[in-house]
Amino acid sequence: MVKRLGIAVASVAASAGLVLGTAGTAEASFWTPRSHHPTTTACQEVGRAGAAQGLWSPIFFCDQIAPGVVELRVRFN
């Protein structure tokens, strides 16, 4: 009985680990790096222009990845 309980607990833990391990990957692929810019303002202008033209969704963000390098990440419709 104890052995069966241990096997059941290990199985549930392994399943939970598998689900949690793949969650970050799916979320990471949700955002696509689109371009790099020297300032956050320039990045936001390009993000808004692309969204207005329908190139990607209006949801985007600018991430400063290094001094003087801001990456535009977008979601496609």
Side-chain angles (χ1 to χ4, degrees), residues 45-70:
E45 288 173 1
V46 171
R48 283 191 292 272
Q53 293 175 13
L55 298 175
W56 49 77
S57 81
I59 300 172
F60 64 88
F61 74 92
C62 297
D63 184 26
Q64 182 150 6
I65 58 175
V69 181
V70 181

Side-chain angles (χ1 to χ4, degrees), residues 9-72:
V9 169
S11 177
V12 168
S15 297
L18 183 62
V19 169
L20 292 175
T22 58
T25 305
E27 187 175 327
S29 65
F30 191 65
W31 296 99
T32 305
R34 186 65 183 159
S35 57
H36 295 93
H37 305 277
T39 64
T40 303
T41 304
C43 178
Q44 290 172 345
E45 288 173 1
V46 171
R48 283 191 292 272
Q53 293 175 13
L55 298 175
W56 49 77
S57 81
I59 300 172
F60 64 88
F61 74 92
C62 297
D63 184 26
Q64 182 150 6
I65 58 175
V69 181
V70 181
E71 183 176 64
L72 172 64

